[in-house]
Amino acid sequence: MKQVLISIVLVITLAIGSLSSCTSKLTSCTGGGEEPASSTVTGEISGSEQSSGKTDPFGKPTDSSGEHYSEASHTGIGDKKDETSGTLSGEDHESSKPEESSSKPEESSKPESSSKPESSSKPESSSKPESSSAPESSSTPELSEKDKALAKAKELLEGGWYSHDELLYQLEYNEGFSHEASQYAADNCGADWKEQAVRAVNWKAGLDTLSPADMKTWLETVPFKAEEVEYGMKNNDVDWNAVAKAWAKQALKNGIWSYSGLGNSMVMHEEFTNDDVTDALAAISYDEWTQEAVEEANEIYTGQSFDSLLEEIQGVGFDVVQASIAANSIGVDWSTNALADAVTYITSNPSASYSEVYDYLDNNEYGCGYSDGQASYATDNCQDWGKAEAVNYANDQLYNHNVWVSESEMVSLLISAGFTAEEASYGAANCDGNKEGIYAEIALLMARDYIFNTGNPPAALYAYLIYDHGFTVAQHDYAVDHWNAQAEFACAIYLMDDPSLTRSEMITKLTADGYNNLEAEFACDANELY
């Protein structure tokens, strides 16, 4: 009985073992009911392909050596089959023949061995990986290089502006496309290159303060074509008025400019409009322009005179006030120049007063523009103002008050007016610029008046002019020689025309001309007509 029970247990054990072996073999052949569907496997291959595999020119995945991947090798299905078959007995391995069924997928009725992997719901373990289900990405045709370049060109244009040639360069040299593909992409990307020029101007204006002329030059170097440059300059959103103001301010920082010099440059060379330039210059204060004049003076001074320096500063467009301030700012003592100008002015205007000379030297608009200190120094020292005032006073008495006096009498007159003896002597000696001339003429006037009013002969003039009034002998002689000169000349002319005229006939003719009887008598005597 015990042996029977042992035999039964052995039979059951062998039966269970056989059943387990068959189940294992069945699982090995079919892949098991829990294997993922082909779409899941395909997804895994696709992921691996993107991260580690290579792709041949036709889009098929390969391993690192260049061999194509198969679904079986990627998922390890073939390895699993070999391990399972190794555990089977020879009889079971023979009956199941997984290799044989898998090596002829076209004769098998099982979907996993089908020759059309696209209709299978389970991974294919075929030894022909090219017949298996391909990754999902390989089903899409690979883009040509031209198409890739075109796609890249559109992507670049979405991110920024380009000219045609710049885009071509970017694709070929920075993105690595061939020249042919890059040319194709630039030609067919659909970009409006004029609008790209507009975008370029707006972008550049946000980075740099460029004048219209500099902006054009920059667009040309990008390069844009001439018509694109013109369109970009006319249709941008740049506030050129604000640019002009900023440009002008920057110009003053970078160099020395006068109002007119900067304005002309901005219009003629930088191509700003007149209105924008006017606004830009108006935004710069007068003090800022004066500071520019100061910088100009320090730049150009090489030892020239004050007047010459003023002319040079004004010559570049600064006004006379700015030029004067600038010339006086360079640390040079212009007092010597001021004194020379004061002397020149006094020579031309001998009757000028102290205040007139000072104003001429100090005034910035119509005068020299010296500083207050320089003008005071020059005015104080250009002449002895006491003596000068004495001269002016003497001239005023002679010409405005018709005072007939000798030089000695003029000295007494000036002393009585408050001048010192020295000032009075100087004033009397220098009035009218020619003392001999003016006092000789006064002696002649007084001689005529004396003879006509007294009836005394010319011989009486000596005592009258020299002793009574203090004229010199030379002045007396001049008066005697000339007191009746006009009547004498008229008498001589009549005698030349008619030498037969008698004395009485000559006196009649001269009195008819306006001379009085005494003048006519002395004229006849002078011409020896008795």
Side-chain angles (χ1 to χ4, degrees), residues 481-503:
D481 292 340
H482 294 85
W483 77 272
N484 200 36
Q486 291 180 332
E488 293 176 7
F489 182 74
C491 180
I493 294 299
Y494 281 129
L495 288 175
M496 289 177 62
D497 291 338
D498 187 2
S500 63
L501 289 174
T502 65
R503 183 181 180 92

Side-chain angles (χ1 to χ4, degrees), residues 170-233:
Q170 176 71 16
L171 291 170
E172 182 173 353
Y173 293 100
N174 294 338
E175 302 298 336
F177 293 103
S178 67
H179 178 75
E180 182 181 4
S182 300
Q183 185 73 54
Y184 172 83
D187 292 344
N188 294 278
C189 63
D192 184 337
W193 301 116
K194 290 183 177 180
E195 288 298 329
Q196 290 296 310
V198 171
R199 293 177 66 188
V201 172
N202 292 336
W203 174 83
K204 187 64 172 176
L207 295 179
D208 300 315
T209 303
L210 297 184
S211 67
D214 288 340
M215 185 67 79
K216 286 181 181 178
T217 300
W218 177 75
L219 287 173
E220 291 167 354
T221 58
V222 167
F224 283 99
K225 296 179 180 178
E227 61 271 18
E228 295 163 359
V229 172
E230 182 179 1
Y231 184 88
M233 293 302 299

Side-chain angles (χ1 to χ4, degrees), residues 440 443-445 447 461 465 474-484:
L444 176 58
L445 292 173
L461 291 176
L465 294 176
Q475 293 164 353
H476 162 267
D477 292 343
Y478 178 85
V480 170
D481 292 340
H482 294 85
W483 77 272
N484 200 36

Side-chain angles (χ1 to χ4, degrees), residues 49 58-61 134-141:
E49 179 183 324
F58 299 98
K60 295 181 179 181
E136 192 174 294
S137 61
S138 65
S139 63
T140 302

